[in-house]
Amino acid sequence: MDEKHQTVHDESHAVHRHPHHAAEIENDADGIFLDVGVNKLEDGDSGSIKLARDGHTVLVPQPSTDPEDPLNWSWFKKHAILLVVAYTAFIADFSSAAGVATIVVQGEEWNMSPNAVNYAGNLNVIMLGIGGLCWIPFVYFWGRAPVLFWTAFSGTFFTLGALLAPNFQVFYGMRALQGFTQTAAQAIGLAFIKDMFFFHEHARKIGIWVALFIVSPYAAPCFAYFILAGTGAWRNVFWMVLGACLLDLVLIVAFIDETYYDRFRPIERQPARGNRLLRLVGIWQIKVHKDYFMTVGHSLHRLAAVILKPIMIPSIIYYMLSFMWAVGINICSSILLETPVEAGGYGFEAKSIGFLYFTPIVAVILGECFGHFFNDWIANRYIRTHNGTFQPEVRLWMTYISLFVMIPGLVLLGQALEKHLHYSAIIMGWGMYVFGVMTASVAITAYTLDCYQNGSGEVAGLLNFGRVVGGFTVGYFQQPWAAKSGYGMSFGLQALIVGLAFGIIIMLQFFGHRMRVKGGPLAI
């Protein structure tokens, strides 16, 4: 759908009379009304609907006439904030995955096996999931901007602590705290998107946000192997991570603003926003908290309310079972590619492995470019043939394409590692799987957000938790499983699990609407 919408301050803004009032354009039972161009309209109705620049796409939610409403912010401000939030989400997995390339060198320094050093990485991963859930309530009783700023600020100091750690014990603790704080943007980023962009823009904006944090676990090892090839020092890798964190802090201070806006409150009762930096650090939110933000108890209750909705747990399970093998591939590939040829590996040097990590990076970019347009094509086609209404289950059609590349990708990668095929087979299999992960991630995120738009933070946090829990568990059994059963067998079974998980998608397509209606709207 056309991303360009008309702000309420433009005199040519389209206001359309329609049999539904503006407040009734969202309906869980009948779908979401998104296009007046395919409807037979009745004249003389007192309801009015604000439309996008194209003259027929309905703006959901309907913007107010307040210039402080984030829906009315300029294109530049919205997208600057989106890119900074996406980059902050990138930092979390970037920091986490940087340790993948350093475990051998660290083991030599601390007289530990690489597998033992990797326990710090595994702990960092699980803290990404736990932290994501913990930070969600804060965005409702304190605000989006201060949570983003203070978690990034704290994460930067914990990164410095990991960099300067004199022993493994200190490094282990710093990595845990680093993961707990830096994950915030992966959980709350969807709340920023929901606050600033209209419904018809969500899929494309989610794609940008998702692409950056999915590419980060591959970008970090890619750069890290080049650094190790040139210097041989693991601390230099973490200096790179610290630099990325400091850049993030600068961007947050320069561009981030509070996006929470109570659109149920009349404009005349909206609190004065004051200085942006006071909103950034949370002082403004504290001053207006009593009458404007939720209580702590209510904020905590929201998480339970969302997870109890019928479609949420199946969606989380599907995402976990589809995404978790990305971590396994990272583990197996990095170990086997570094292992000497005489020991059964490929014997690649650090620089060569760095070049191989461009494979998933390119795959994510291709997946984002494809999904950026195809997601909207699917939605537009459905809307044109269903009287201007949209059902969230339409988003799930993209996952069919994801399935058709993930399964053969895993099988090909397993066979390549098992039979020591040319590294081009690894590139093809790895790239196919990551392309599928990218497109499936946007589809399942957009679907759950469409179902429960007022639970954006909880939706993102729960999906993130499923993603990292799967990655955490596979980190402990992937390599022993492959060593015992063979790479061909282990990756073949992973492909089978991805295929079985797709049964959840089919169930949601057939029964998701009824499940949502039976579960009722998200009344929080």
Side-chain angles (χ1 to χ4, degrees), residues 169-420:
Q169 289 73 24
V170 174
F171 180 79
Y172 187 82
M174 290 296 104
R175 290 286 276 168
L177 294 170
Q178 183 187 35
F180 182 79
T181 53
Q182 291 182 330
T183 189
Q186 295 183 337
I188 70 174
L190 204 56
F192 280 91
I193 293 172
K194 172 63 171 59
D195 291 341
M196 296 187 296
F197 296 100
F198 296 103
F199 184 95
H200 68 279
E201 300 175 300
H202 284 172
R204 289 190 175 191
K205 309 312 174 187
I206 290 171
I208 295 171
W209 172 63
V210 167
L212 275 176
F213 75 71
I214 285 184
V215 80
S216 58
Y218 308 115
C222 176
F223 299 150
Y225 277 115
F226 286 128
I227 291 172
L228 289 175
T231 68
W234 70 266
R235 295 183 194 274
N236 289 337
V237 172
F238 280 86
W239 278 116
M240 172 195 68
V241 175
L242 180 64
C245 293
L246 291 171
L247 174 61
D248 184 40
L249 274 180
V250 171
L251 293 174
I252 289 173
V253 172
F255 295 108
I256 290 298
D257 199 351
E258 179 57 59
T259 62
Y260 176 74
Y261 183 86
D262 184 357
R263 57 190 60 261
F264 295 103
R265 179 187 294 259
I267 295 176
E268 59 273 13
R269 293 187 55 215
Q270 295 286 342
R273 291 253 159 173
N275 185 277
R276 182 183 67 86
L277 293 180
L278 294 182
R279 298 193 295 273
L280 178 66
V281 299
I283 294 175
W284 174 81
Q285 290 85 341
I286 293 173
K287 289 181 178 179
V288 303
H289 177 271
K290 183 177 180 181
D291 297 322
Y292 201 68
F293 288 91
M294 298 179 186
T295 64
V296 175
H298 189 187
S299 301
L300 293 171
H301 167 73
R302 290 173 56 96
L303 187 60
V306 173
I307 198 171
L308 291 177
K309 289 300 176 183
I311 66 104
M312 281 307 302
I313 291 180
S315 299
I316 294 168
I317 293 174
Y318 164 75
Y319 194 36
M320 178 182 71
L321 294 178
S322 298
F323 192 99
M324 63 192 294
W325 313 115
V327 178
I329 294 172
N330 246 1
I331 295 171
C332 281
S333 298
S334 61
I335 292 176
L336 194 62
L337 293 173
E338 284 188 86
T339 302
V341 175
E342 55 271 19
Y346 278 82
F348 286 159
E349 295 180 352
K351 183 180 291 187
S352 300
I353 299 175
F355 280 115
L356 280 176
Y357 266 93
F358 279 110
T359 297
I361 294 174
V362 172
V364 170
I365 295 172
L366 292 176
E368 160 58 10
C369 292
F370 174 73
H372 193 77
F373 301 100
F374 193 68
N375 279 305
D376 278 355
W377 181 84
I378 295 172
N380 282 328
R381 184 176 182 276
Y382 182 90
I383 291 168
R384 286 195 303 268
T385 57
H386 288 79
N387 203 33
T389 61
F390 176 84
Q391 293 287 352
E393 284 71 29
V394 176
R395 299 289 191 195
L396 299 176
W397 284 109
M398 172 63 88
T399 59
Y400 284 79
I401 294 176
S402 307
L403 179 74
F404 292 148
V405 291
M406 283 195 290
I407 288 181
L410 285 170
V411 172
L412 176 58
L413 182 58
Q415 292 300 311
L417 296 175
E418 173 87 15
K419 299 177 180 179
H420 283 245

Side-chain angles (χ1 to χ4, degrees), residues 4-8 10-14 51-53 59 63 198:
K4 296 180 180 179
H5 64 275
Q6 198 78 6
T7 70
V8 297
D10 193 325
E11 292 181 359
S12 63
H13 178 75
L51 305 178
R53 188 184 298 273
L59 298 179
F198 296 103

Side-chain angles (χ1 to χ4, degrees), residues 16 68 133 140 227 290 321 339 391 447 455 471 474 494 499:
H16 199 91
E68 298 292 350
L133 292 180
Y140 295 106
I227 291 172
K290 183 177 180 181
L321 294 178
T339 302
Q391 293 287 352
Y447 168 64
V474 77
Q494 290 168 25

Side-chain angles (χ1 to χ4, degrees), residues 463-503:
L463 289 177
N464 181 64
F465 183 75
R467 176 180 72 92
V468 300
V469 165
F472 171 75
T473 56
V474 77
Y476 283 97
F477 67 77
Q478 172 65 70
Q479 188 60 25
W481 183 18
K484 181 179 179 179
S485 303
Y487 291 98
M489 175 66 74
S490 64
F491 278 90
L493 289 175
Q494 290 168 25
L496 176 62
I497 291 171
V498 170
L500 293 175
F502 192 75

